């Protein structure tokens, strides 16, 4: 061992670069961001409606991203659904836009968006062609009324309008106002003009406050800039400096009222000013962004769209969540008390003695209470990120650059960290960890960038998800074939590792089991595989070697499994009757009691795990009869067979990739995918293993991530992405690239810690003695009964 005193700073840094220190840094960063966001909320408030109306930025393709919250893109269907819902509960959807002619263009765009083929016989619109005339639109079915009232200055008539609404029994639901003064187009905003404008605005504050008390929302829209070079003659004297002075005056006065300042519309217009018609008429894209902002502000809190967090209240907590967090809090308190006691004893110099039968590598950090204390902290962070509005969230954004550049970086890093493996078997542990690692990282980039609407990328990601199931079928069949271990403890071990975090997230985050779709798929197919292999006759390698006719039983089991799946697939009604049966119905339905999500996921990979088992069986038999040899560093086959197999693998992968680019219908693509998904997977396995050199080298970078791939998949829902994976978590607003790096670092550290905690709790939850394991199962079922009754399972 070297002397630490002789190490350089760089060597000391590398020596301390480990997972434990990384987690400590991540924890410190989380505490820092908690303090930072608490300060932001104290300083600027926690109302995301203010964020929506106050600031934002453009992403690529001129897509608008509000500051700190997610913008739902309202379609005509979404809009009418919102208005119909509010009308059902007796709300009057009464919108008033009062202001100058530039606000009139927004009102017309708003009306055009609300009008549909359904409203032609149930609505009416009255307007004149003059830009200074009023407009009115009514839809009786939706109890909807939109009015535009022309007002080019803050005059007595405008204030009288506010006073009139104040005395109405049902005042407008939403008022949007924006105007300047009569001589605005002449330019040259003097101090006298500005003071007169401020004085008139001051007279408007009291009517605004009184209307707000009657549940009316009031928005003051700041004036939009102009393109001075292309403005018409009557607008030539208007300078953007004058516009800014007027906007600043309005902000200063109305800051002390209940009106909300709409400044993000000014930012949008500033970014699209080169698209203005005649230099001052708002472009169509500007108006569309403004309409979307208005709809998000008005509807989000009622509709609760997962991808629309602006102006949306946090989800209320449930009794199950309170109970779960209370249990974790008790565990954390006991663990803390034990740690303090140990520290005091050590500080006093009292020596403690461990039992002789205590494992030498057992420390307090590996005790179940300490593990549960870690979980308590982690789950609190989960809740803070995705069940509150404490941290910010943003919409995903896809571009070729945002998707392919991270993929390129990831593979460059993976290739850089490669080394020789001591294992030579096909799909040995190092290689499968590597495969799971790079597949999971690509899947994470896919979800982060929202690339699902690109069909070729979507289909390739489906192959990667299917690859996990294929590997599961291969690995479990191989283990069973070689060991014959089909005991209860083995089954419970696998099920605990797969489901522990998922069940915990269901309890803490108030989501159904089916929400984390990949775990139900893994658990279901593993259970089916376990049942099939456990049913007599049980065939293992030793039995088959003694009597080769026993292979026929394996073939019969595969055929039975494929036939059963096909029968279920042929009748969706029969499928639903099986899976909506209580008490296991709760495992397969969504929050809306819908089975179709499980049906979609199930049928997409209905044959995949069987493909993996068949491939494993063929490979094991090939080894038995010396067709392949992976016991050394040489090639699997002879030179001729290797070249033929390589060509076939490349052809299969190439054909699948070509087909994904020519396939135009997603539903048809998915249907074909179910039958041919084994082609690219088997092709990759052959290419990766035919050469002895490739088979015995692997990427330690990918393998490290592969070991925690399940935790990465589950944790991404809430602490890397946001709003149940519909958006992106924002810890550092205003710096999107740096924010992704920070959230990724914390996300990976948390996933690794949960993987460690799961390993610590596994022997306590599933002891090696099958009787003790069965006892724990009984306790779990007893605990599940009240939860099931609360959730409607019984």
């Amino acid at each position: 061992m070297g002397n630490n005193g002789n190490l350089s700073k760089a060597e000391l840094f590398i020596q301390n670069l480990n997972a434990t220190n990384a987690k400590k840094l991540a924890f410190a960063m989380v505490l820092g961001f908690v303090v930072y966001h608490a300060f932001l909320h104290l300083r600027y408030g926690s109302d995301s409606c203010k964020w929506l109306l106050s600031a934002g930025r453009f992403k690529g393709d001129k897509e608008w991203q509000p500051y700190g919250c997610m913008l739902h893109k309202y379609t005509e269907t979404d809009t009418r659904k919102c208005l119909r819902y509010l009308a059902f509960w007796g709300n009057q959807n009464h919108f008033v836009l009062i202001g100058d002619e530039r606000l009139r263009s927004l009102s017309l765009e708003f009306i055009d968006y609300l009008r549909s083929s359904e409203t032609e016989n149930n609505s009416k619109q009255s307007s004149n062609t003059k830009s200074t005339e009023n407009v009115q639109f009514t839809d009786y079915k939706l109890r909807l009324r939109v009015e535009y009232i022309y007002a080019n200055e803050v005059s007595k008539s405008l204030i009288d309008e506010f006073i009139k609404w104040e005395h109405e029994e049902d005042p407008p639901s939403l008022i949007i106002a924006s105007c300047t003064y009569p001589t605005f187009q002449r330019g040259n905003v003097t101090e006298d003009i500005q003071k007169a404008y401020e004085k008139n605005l001051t007279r408007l504050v009291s009517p605004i406050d009184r209307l707000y008390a009657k549940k009316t929302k009031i928005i003051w829209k700041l004036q939009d800039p102009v393109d001075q070079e292309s403005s018409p003659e009557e607008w030539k004297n208007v300078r953007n400096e004058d516009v800014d002075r007027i906007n600043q005056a309005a902000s200063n006065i109305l800051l002390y009222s209940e009106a909300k300042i709409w400044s993000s519309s000014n930012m949008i217009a500033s970014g699209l000013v080169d698209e203005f018609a005649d230099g001052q008429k708002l472009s169509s894209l500007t108006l569309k962004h403004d309409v979307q902002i208005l709809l998000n502000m008005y509807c989000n809190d009622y509709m609760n769209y997962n991808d629309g967090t602006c102006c949306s209240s946090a989800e209320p907590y449930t009794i199950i969540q309170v109970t779960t967090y209370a249990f974790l809090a008790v565990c954390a308190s006991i663990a803390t008390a034990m740690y303090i006691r140990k520290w005091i004893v050590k500080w006093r110099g009292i020596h403690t003695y461990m039992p002789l039968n205590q494992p030498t590598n057992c420390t307090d950090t590996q005790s179940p209470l300490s593990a549960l204390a870690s979980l308590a902290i982690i789950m609190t962070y989960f809740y803070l990120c995705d069940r509150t509005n404490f941290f910010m969230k943003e919409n995903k954004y896809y571009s070729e650059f945002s998707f392919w550049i991270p993929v390129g970086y990831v593979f460059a890093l993976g290739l850089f960290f490669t080394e020789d493996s001591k294992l030579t078997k096909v799909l040995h542990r190092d290689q499968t960890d590597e495969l799971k690692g790079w597949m999971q990282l690509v899947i994470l980039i896919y979800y982060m960038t929202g690339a699902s609407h690109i069909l070729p990328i979507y289909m390739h990601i489906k192959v990667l998800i299917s690859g996990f199931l294929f590997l599961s079928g291969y690995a479990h069949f191989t283990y069973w074939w070689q060991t014959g271990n089909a005991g209860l403890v083995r089954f419970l071990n696998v099920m605990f590792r797969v489901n522990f975090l998922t069940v915990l997230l269901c309890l803490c985050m108030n989501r159904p089991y089916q929400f984390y779709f990949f775990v139900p798929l893994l658990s279901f197919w593993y259970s089916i595989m376990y049942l099939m292999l456990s049913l007599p006759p049980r065939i293992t390698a030793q039995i088959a070697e003694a009597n080769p006719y026993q292979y026929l039983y394996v073939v019969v089991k595969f055929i039975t499994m494929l036939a059963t799946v096909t029968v279920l697939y042929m009748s969706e009604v029969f499928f639903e009757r099986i899976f909506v049966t209580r008490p296991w119905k709760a495992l397969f339905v969504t929050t809306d009691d819908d089975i179709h999500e499980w049906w979609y996921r199930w049928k997409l990979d209905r044959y995949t795990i069987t493909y993996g088992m068949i491939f494993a069986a063929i490979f094991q038999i090939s080894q038995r009869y010396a067709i392949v040899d992976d016991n050394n560093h040489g090639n699997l086959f002879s030179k001729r067979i290797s070249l033929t197999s390589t060509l076939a693998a490349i052809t299969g992968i190439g054909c699948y990739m070509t087909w994904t680019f020519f396939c135009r219908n997603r539903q048809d693509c998915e249907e074909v995918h179910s039958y041919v998904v084994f082609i690219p997977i088997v092709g990759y396995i052959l290419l990766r293993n035919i050469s002895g050199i490739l088979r015995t080298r692997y990427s330690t970078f990918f393998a490290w991530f592969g070991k925690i791939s399940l935790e990465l998949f589950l944790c991404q829902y809430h602490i890397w992405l946001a709003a149940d994976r519909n958006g992106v978590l924002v810890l550092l607003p205003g710096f999107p690239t740096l924010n992704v790096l920070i959230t990724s670092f914390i996300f990976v550290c948390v996933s690794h810690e949960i993987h460690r905690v799961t390993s610590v709790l596994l022997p306590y939850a599933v002891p090696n003695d099958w009787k003790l394991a069965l006892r724990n199962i009984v306790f779990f079922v007893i605990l599940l009964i009240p939860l099931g009754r609360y959730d409607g399972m019984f």
Side-chain angles (χ1 to χ4, degrees):
M1 293 180 66
N3 187 356
N4 287 343
N6 298 326
L7 295 177
S8 66
K9 291 183 178 180
E11 289 172 327
L12 282 172
F13 175 78
I14 294 172
Q15 191 179 69
N16 292 319
L17 197 63
N18 53 49
T20 302
N21 289 332
K23 292 173 191 175
K24 291 178 181 177
L25 177 60
F27 181 68
M29 292 173 69
V30 169
L31 291 180
F33 281 113
V34 167
V35 173
Y36 172 65
H37 280 265
F39 171 77
L40 288 180
H41 289 309
L42 289 174
R43 177 67 178 82
Y44 302 106
S46 57
D47 185 3
S48 57
C49 272
K50 280 188 177 181
W51 305 349
L52 172 66
L53 296 173
S54 63
R57 70 178 192 279
F58 277 107
K59 294 184 176 180
D61 297 330
K62 298 178 180 178
E63 185 176 334
W64 182 250
Q65 172 61 60
Y67 175 80
C69 63
M70 294 166 59
L71 196 68
H72 177 72
K73 190 169 289 185
Y74 275 85
T75 62
E76 178 187 305
T77 303
D78 292 340
T79 306
R80 296 187 66 80
K81 188 185 295 183
C82 165
L83 297 176
R84 190 178 292 115
Y85 173 82
L86 291 171
F88 175 80
W89 290 106
N91 291 38
Q92 288 285 351
N93 298 309
H94 185 189
F95 303 93
V96 175
L97 295 91
I98 182 168
D100 53 27
E101 57 188 274
R102 302 182 86 184
L103 192 62
R104 188 179 192 271
S105 61
L106 176 59
S107 67
L108 294 175
E109 179 73 22
F110 191 50
I111 289 170
D112 286 341
Y113 198 83
L114 296 174
R115 187 192 295 111
S116 71
S117 56
E118 296 180 30
T119 65
E120 290 181 0
N121 299 323
N122 300 286
S123 63
K124 66 178 183 178
Q125 177 177 341
S126 60
S127 67
N128 293 293
T129 57
K130 294 181 180 179
S131 61
T132 59
E133 295 295 333
N134 297 344
V135 179
Q136 184 170 327
F137 171 78
T138 306
D139 186 333
Y140 300 108
K141 184 183 291 186
L142 300 179
R143 303 183 71 181
L144 170 66
R145 183 155 60 111
V146 182
E147 295 180 80
Y148 165 72
I149 301 172
Y150 176 75
N152 70 333
E153 63 174 316
V154 186
S155 60
K156 184 177 183 302
S157 60
L158 184 142
I159 296 172
D160 288 342
E161 287 286 349
F162 275 80
I163 294 173
K164 182 189 71 175
W165 293 323
E166 177 190 333
H167 291 93
E168 289 181 359
E169 185 177 346
D170 289 319
S173 308
L174 175 64
I175 299 173
I176 305 164
S178 179
C179 54
T180 54
Y181 54 91
T183 60
F184 176 68
Q185 293 182 10
R186 299 178 188 174
N188 190 24
V189 178
T190 64
E191 287 191 13
D192 292 338
I193 292 175
Q194 183 173 335
K195 287 179 180 179
Y197 179 67
E198 292 174 350
K199 182 178 180 181
N200 291 337
L201 274 176
T202 304
R203 297 169 57 197
L204 196 59
V205 170
S206 294
I208 286 175
D209 291 347
R210 289 193 291 267
L211 270 172
Y212 180 82
K214 299 190 73 172
K215 308 301 183 184
T216 297
K217 297 179 180 178
I218 301 99
I219 295 175
W220 186 271
K221 183 179 181 296
L222 298 184
Q223 287 294 308
D224 298 310
V226 297
D227 187 351
Q228 294 174 250
E229 295 181 0
S230 59
S231 296
E233 193 62 35
E234 61 270 21
W235 284 80
K236 281 292 184 184
N237 293 325
V238 177
R239 299 178 303 166
N240 285 325
E241 292 83 355
D242 296 334
V243 174
D244 292 339
R245 289 179 63 184
I246 290 298
N247 287 339
Q248 188 60 49
S251 299
N252 292 339
I253 298 300
L254 297 178
L255 177 65
Y256 303 100
S257 72
E258 297 294 346
K260 293 183 178 179
I261 305 297
W262 188 4
S263 55
S264 60
S265 63
N266 177 274
M267 295 180 180
I268 293 172
S270 298
L272 301 173
V273 70
D274 56 331
E275 299 183 7
F276 283 11
D278 295 333
Q280 52 85 24
K281 293 181 180 177
L282 299 180
S283 66
S284 175
L285 183 58
T286 303
L287 295 171
K288 287 178 180 177
H289 284 318
D290 287 348
V291 168
Q292 286 295 328
I293 288 174
L294 290 176
L295 290 173
N296 274 263
M297 188 205 66
Y298 190 72
C299 288
N300 276 4
D301 205 23
Y302 302 103
M303 304 310 294
N304 293 321
Y305 289 113
N306 288 331
D307 62 342
T309 61
C310 297
C311 301
S312 183
S313 302
E315 181 180 301
Y317 52 80
T318 65
I319 296 176
I320 291 179
Q321 286 176 291
V322 172
T323 305
T324 305
Y325 278 103
F327 170 76
L328 291 174
V330 170
C331 293
S333 301
I334 295 174
T336 303
M338 291 174 64
Y339 176 81
I340 294 173
R341 179 181 176 276
K342 180 186 174 183
W343 181 83
I344 293 173
V345 168
K346 184 178 179 181
W347 178 70
R348 289 179 176 177
I350 301 174
H351 297 283
T352 57
Y353 298 91
M354 298 175 65
L356 293 175
N357 60 351
Q358 183 77 12
T360 56
N361 63 341
C362 184
T363 64
D364 281 350
T365 57
Q366 294 174 317
S367 70
L369 274 176
S370 297
L372 290 172
S374 296
L375 277 181
I377 296 171
I378 290 171
M379 288 300 113
T380 301
Y381 178 61
F382 271 71
Y383 190 89
L384 205 60
C385 287
D386 212 29
R387 288 296 168 267
T388 69
N389 292 328
F390 187 78
F391 291 129
M392 300 176 182
K393 304 169 180 66
E394 287 188 355
N395 295 93
K396 297 178 182 179
Y397 170 70
Y398 171 80
S399 69
E400 298 290 337
F401 179 86
S402 66
F403 178 79
W404 290 110
I405 292 297
V407 169
Y409 280 144
V410 162
F411 276 95
L413 283 170
L415 294 174
F416 182 79
F417 293 98
T418 57
E419 62 181 44
D420 291 326
S421 173
K422 296 178 181 179
L423 307 173
T424 63
K425 294 290 185 180
V426 170
L427 289 177
H428 55 76
R429 182 60 182 269
D430 291 336
Q431 189 183 127
T432 53
D433 283 341
E434 174 204 78
L435 178 55
K436 290 178 181 179
W438 74 254
M439 289 196 305
Q440 185 60 63
L441 291 175
V442 173
I443 291 171
L444 290 175
I445 295 170
Y446 164 83
Y447 283 127
M448 165 65 80
T449 56
S452 59
H453 64 283
I454 308 299
L455 189 55
I457 296 178
Y458 172 82
M459 292 308 301
H460 282 85
I461 295 299
K462 291 302 176 187
V463 172
L464 300 187
I465 294 175
S466 299
F468 279 95
L469 291 171
F470 186 96
L471 288 177
S472 177
Y474 175 89
H476 292 304
F477 181 88
T478 300
Y479 177 85
W480 170 82
W481 182 259
Q482 293 175 349
T483 65
N485 182 2
L488 177 65
V489 173
R490 162 72 180 174
F491 175 77
L492 295 178
N493 259 287
V494 174
M495 294 297 283
F496 180 84
R497 283 189 176 275
V498 171
N499 287 278
F500 171 69
L501 177 58
T502 309
V503 172
L504 186 64
L505 288 175
C506 290
L507 297 175
C508 291
M509 306 303 287
N510 188 31
R511 287 296 175 268
Y513 182 65
Q514 191 57 222
F515 178 76
Y516 307 95
F517 70 91
F518 184 65
V519 171
L521 278 176
L522 275 178
S523 302
F524 173 79
W525 287 116
Y526 176 70
S527 300
I528 296 298
M529 181 171 54
Y530 175 83
L531 178 64
M532 189 270 289
L533 295 176
S534 299
L535 288 175
R538 295 183 180 181
I539 312 301
T540 63
Q542 293 80 7
I543 296 174
E545 286 178 12
N547 184 5
Y549 288 104
Q550 299 291 328
Y551 288 120
L552 291 176
Y553 290 115
V554 178
V555 174
V556 170
K557 287 189 176 186
F558 286 151
I559 293 174
T560 302
M561 193 170 178
L562 291 171
T564 304
V565 169
T566 302
V567 169
L568 280 174
Y569 171 69
M570 291 175 65
S571 176
E572 187 175 353
V573 175
F574 179 53
F575 177 91
E576 290 184 7
R577 286 184 178 178
I578 291 176
F579 287 103
V580 298
T581 303
R582 298 179 188 275
W584 55 75
K585 170 186 175 182
L587 300 176
F588 302 106
V589 296
T590 61
T591 307
D592 300 326
D593 209 33
D594 186 11
I595 193 69
H596 290 94
E597 183 68 20
W598 169 244
W599 163 253
Y600 164 74
R601 302 288 182 184
W602 178 90
K603 72 175 183 177
L604 193 62
D605 284 303
R606 59 187 181 274
Y607 300 124
T608 305
I609 206 159
T610 312
Y611 291 151
M613 296 169 65
I614 293 173
F615 179 79
I618 293 173
F619 183 76
Q620 293 297 320
I621 296 171
S622 299
Q623 282 185 315
R624 168 71 179 83
Y625 292 99
I627 299 174
V628 298
D629 182 13
D630 60 354
N631 292 316
N632 52 57
H633 289 74
N635 295 341
L636 283 181
F637 310 110
S638 65
K639 187 175 182 180
R640 178 177 296 180
I641 297 177
S642 295
L643 289 174
T644 304
S645 300
T646 301
L647 181 61
I650 293 174
T651 303
I653 295 173
C655 288
Y656 185 88
M657 292 177 65
T658 304
W659 168 75
T660 61
F661 282 96
F662 283 97
C663 184
R664 299 299 178 189
N665 183 282
R666 178 172 293 193
Q667 187 174 357
D668 293 340
C669 289
E670 291 174 342
E671 188 56 44
V672 175
H673 166 90
S674 304
Y675 298 102
V676 302
V677 66
F678 70 92
I679 295 175
I681 296 174
V682 173
Y684 173 83
I685 293 172
L686 287 175
L687 291 177
R688 187 70 179 81
N689 289 275
I690 287 176
S691 169
I693 297 174
L694 289 178
R695 191 172 68 253
T696 56
R697 284 192 69 83
Y698 76 107
S699 169
T700 54
F701 177 80
F702 288 142
W704 190 87
F705 284 99
K707 292 175 183 177
I708 60 171
S709 58
L710 180 64
E711 288 79 11
L712 289 172
F713 185 86
L714 294 171
C715 292
Q716 62 158 327
Y717 278 81
H718 306 295
I719 62 168
W720 191 54
L721 303 178
D724 295 335
R725 209 174 63 180
N726 289 284
V728 178
L729 180 67
V730 177
L731 296 179
L732 187 63
F735 302 91
T737 304
L738 184 57
N739 176 73
V740 169
L741 294 176
I742 291 172
T743 55
S744 299
F745 174 72
I746 297 172
F747 159 59
V748 171
C749 290
V750 169
S751 300
H752 188 275
E753 177 64 10
I754 291 177
H755 179 79
R756 186 196 69 82
V757 166
T758 305
S759 299
V760 170
L761 295 176
L762 177 61
Y764 296 94
V766 186
N768 287 328
D769 187 340
W770 70 269
K771 295 179 181 179
L772 296 178
L774 189 61
R775 177 205 63 188
N776 289 355
I777 287 293
V778 172
F779 285 157
F780 178 72
V781 171
I782 293 173
L783 179 65
L784 196 64
I785 290 174
L787 295 176
R789 287 184 62 86
Y790 178 83
D791 203 39
M793 288 178 67
F794 307 108

Short mmCIF file of all heavy atoms in Angstrom, two decimals, residues 543-563:
data_model
loop_
_atom_site.label_atom_id
_atom_site.label_comp_id
_atom_site.label_asym_id
_atom_site.label_seq_id
_atom_site.Cartn_x
_atom_site.Cartn_y
_atom_site.Cartn_z
N ILE A 543 -30.87 -34.68 -17.06
CA ILE A 543 -31.92 -35.63 -17.44
C ILE A 543 -31.91 -35.86 -18.95
O ILE A 543 -32.04 -36.99 -19.43
CB ILE A 543 -33.29 -35.12 -16.96
CG1 ILE A 543 -33.33 -35.06 -15.43
CG2 ILE A 543 -34.41 -35.99 -17.50
CD1 ILE A 543 -34.59 -34.45 -14.88
N ALA A 544 -31.76 -34.75 -19.72
CA ALA A 544 -31.78 -34.86 -21.18
C ALA A 544 -30.57 -35.64 -21.70
O ALA A 544 -30.67 -36.36 -22.69
CB ALA A 544 -31.84 -33.48 -21.81
N GLU A 545 -29.43 -35.49 -21.04
CA GLU A 545 -28.25 -36.23 -21.46
C GLU A 545 -28.45 -37.72 -21.26
O GLU A 545 -28.00 -38.54 -22.07
CB GLU A 545 -27.03 -35.75 -20.67
CG GLU A 545 -26.51 -34.39 -21.10
CD GLU A 545 -25.33 -33.94 -20.25
OE1 GLU A 545 -24.79 -34.78 -19.50
OE2 GLU A 545 -24.97 -32.76 -20.35
N ALA A 546 -29.12 -38.09 -20.19
CA ALA A 546 -29.36 -39.51 -19.93
C ALA A 546 -30.38 -40.10 -20.89
O ALA A 546 -30.28 -41.27 -21.27
CB ALA A 546 -29.83 -39.69 -18.48
N ASN A 547 -31.37 -39.26 -21.29
CA ASN A 547 -32.41 -39.74 -22.20
C ASN A 547 -32.77 -38.63 -23.18
O ASN A 547 -33.56 -37.75 -22.87
CB ASN A 547 -33.64 -40.17 -21.40
CG ASN A 547 -34.72 -40.76 -22.28
OD1 ASN A 547 -34.53 -40.96 -23.49
ND2 ASN A 547 -35.87 -41.05 -21.68
N PRO A 548 -32.17 -38.62 -24.39
CA PRO A 548 -32.41 -37.55 -25.37
C PRO A 548 -33.88 -37.36 -25.75
O PRO A 548 -34.27 -36.28 -26.20
CB PRO A 548 -31.58 -37.99 -26.58
CG PRO A 548 -30.52 -38.87 -26.01
CD PRO A 548 -31.17 -39.58 -24.87
N TYR A 549 -34.72 -38.40 -25.57
CA TYR A 549 -36.13 -38.26 -25.90
C TYR A 549 -36.84 -37.24 -25.00
O TYR A 549 -37.93 -36.78 -25.31
CB TYR A 549 -36.84 -39.62 -25.79
CG TYR A 549 -36.48 -40.56 -26.92
CD1 TYR A 549 -35.60 -41.62 -26.70
CD2 TYR A 549 -37.01 -40.38 -28.20
CE1 TYR A 549 -35.25 -42.48 -27.72
CE2 TYR A 549 -36.68 -41.24 -29.23
CZ TYR A 549 -35.80 -42.28 -28.99
OH TYR A 549 -35.45 -43.12 -30.02
N GLN A 550 -36.21 -36.93 -23.89
CA GLN A 550 -36.78 -35.94 -22.98
C GLN A 550 -36.86 -34.55 -23.61
O GLN A 550 -37.62 -33.69 -23.15
CB GLN A 550 -35.97 -35.87 -21.68
CG GLN A 550 -35.92 -37.18 -20.90
CD GLN A 550 -37.26 -37.52 -20.30
OE1 GLN A 550 -38.05 -36.65 -19.93
NE2 GLN A 550 -37.55 -38.82 -20.21
N TYR A 551 -36.07 -34.31 -24.67
CA TYR A 551 -36.14 -33.02 -25.37
C TYR A 551 -37.54 -32.76 -25.93
O TYR A 551 -37.95 -31.60 -26.08
CB TYR A 551 -35.12 -32.97 -26.52
CG TYR A 551 -33.68 -32.86 -26.07
CD1 TYR A 551 -32.75 -33.84 -26.41
CD2 TYR A 551 -33.26 -31.77 -25.31
CE1 TYR A 551 -31.42 -33.74 -26.01
CE2 TYR A 551 -31.93 -31.66 -24.91
CZ TYR A 551 -31.02 -32.64 -25.25
OH TYR A 551 -29.71 -32.55 -24.85
N LEU A 552 -38.24 -33.84 -26.24
CA LEU A 552 -39.59 -33.68 -26.79
C LEU A 552 -40.52 -32.99 -25.80
O LEU A 552 -41.40 -32.22 -26.19
CB LEU A 552 -40.16 -35.06 -27.17
CG LEU A 552 -39.49 -35.74 -28.37
CD1 LEU A 552 -40.07 -37.13 -28.58
CD2 LEU A 552 -39.67 -34.89 -29.63
N TYR A 553 -40.33 -33.27 -24.51
CA TYR A 553 -41.16 -32.61 -23.49
C TYR A 553 -40.91 -31.10 -23.49
O TYR A 553 -41.84 -30.30 -23.29
CB TYR A 553 -40.88 -33.20 -22.12
CG TYR A 553 -41.39 -34.60 -21.95
CD1 TYR A 553 -40.50 -35.66 -21.76
CD2 TYR A 553 -42.75 -34.87 -21.95
CE1 TYR A 553 -40.96 -36.96 -21.58
CE2 TYR A 553 -43.22 -36.17 -21.79
CZ TYR A 553 -42.33 -37.21 -21.60
OH TYR A 553 -42.79 -38.48 -21.44
N VAL A 554 -39.64 -30.70 -23.70
CA VAL A 554 -39.33 -29.27 -23.76
C VAL A 554 -40.03 -28.64 -24.95
O VAL A 554 -40.61 -27.55 -24.86
CB VAL A 554 -37.80 -29.05 -23.84
CG1 VAL A 554 -37.48 -27.56 -23.94
CG2 VAL A 554 -37.11 -29.66 -22.64
N VAL A 555 -39.99 -29.32 -26.10
CA VAL A 555 -40.67 -28.82 -27.31
C VAL A 555 -42.16 -28.69 -27.06
O VAL A 555 -42.80 -27.69 -27.45
CB VAL A 555 -40.39 -29.75 -28.51
CG1 VAL A 555 -41.21 -29.32 -29.73
CG2 VAL A 555 -38.91 -29.78 -28.84
N VAL A 556 -42.75 -29.69 -26.41
CA VAL A 556 -44.19 -29.64 -26.12
C VAL A 556 -44.52 -28.46 -25.22
O VAL A 556 -45.54 -27.76 -25.41
CB VAL A 556 -44.64 -30.97 -25.46
CG1 VAL A 556 -46.07 -30.84 -24.92
CG2 VAL A 556 -44.57 -32.11 -26.46
N LYS A 557 -43.67 -28.18 -24.24
CA LYS A 557 -43.91 -27.05 -23.35
C LYS A 557 -43.84 -25.73 -24.11
O LYS A 557 -44.66 -24.83 -23.88
CB LYS A 557 -42.88 -27.05 -22.22
CG LYS A 557 -43.12 -28.15 -21.18
CD LYS A 557 -42.22 -27.98 -19.96
CE LYS A 557 -42.55 -29.02 -18.91
NZ LYS A 557 -41.82 -28.83 -17.65
N PHE A 558 -42.88 -25.60 -25.02
CA PHE A 558 -42.79 -24.38 -25.83
C PHE A 558 -44.03 -24.21 -26.71
O PHE A 558 -44.59 -23.12 -26.81
CB PHE A 558 -41.53 -24.42 -26.70
CG PHE A 558 -40.26 -24.19 -25.94
CD1 PHE A 558 -39.06 -24.75 -26.37
CD2 PHE A 558 -40.24 -23.42 -24.80
CE1 PHE A 558 -37.87 -24.55 -25.68
CE2 PHE A 558 -39.06 -23.19 -24.09
CZ PHE A 558 -37.88 -23.77 -24.53
N ILE A 559 -44.45 -25.29 -27.34
CA ILE A 559 -45.63 -25.23 -28.21
C ILE A 559 -46.86 -24.87 -27.40
O ILE A 559 -47.70 -24.05 -27.83
CB ILE A 559 -45.82 -26.57 -28.95
CG1 ILE A 559 -44.67 -26.80 -29.93
CG2 ILE A 559 -47.16 -26.59 -29.68
CD1 ILE A 559 -44.70 -28.15 -30.60
N THR A 560 -46.98 -25.46 -26.22
CA THR A 560 -48.13 -25.15 -25.35
C THR A 560 -48.14 -23.68 -24.97
O THR A 560 -49.19 -23.02 -24.96
CB THR A 560 -48.09 -26.02 -24.09
OG1 THR A 560 -48.08 -27.41 -24.48
CG2 THR A 560 -49.28 -25.74 -23.20
N MET A 561 -46.97 -23.16 -24.63
CA MET A 561 -46.86 -21.75 -24.23
C MET A 561 -47.23 -20.82 -25.39
O MET A 561 -48.00 -19.87 -25.22
CB MET A 561 -45.44 -21.47 -23.76
CG MET A 561 -45.26 -20.16 -23.02
SD MET A 561 -43.63 -20.07 -22.26
CE MET A 561 -43.71 -18.42 -21.55
N LEU A 562 -46.72 -21.10 -26.58
CA LEU A 562 -47.03 -20.29 -27.76
C LEU A 562 -48.51 -20.39 -28.12
O LEU A 562 -49.14 -19.38 -28.47
CB LEU A 562 -46.16 -20.73 -28.94
CG LEU A 562 -44.66 -20.42 -28.83
CD1 LEU A 562 -43.89 -21.09 -29.97
CD2 LEU A 562 -44.42 -18.91 -28.88
N ALA A 563 -49.07 -21.58 -28.02
CA ALA A 563 -50.49 -21.77 -28.36
C ALA A 563 -51.39 -21.03 -27.39
O ALA A 563 -52.38 -20.40 -27.79
CB ALA A 563 -50.81 -23.27 -28.37
#
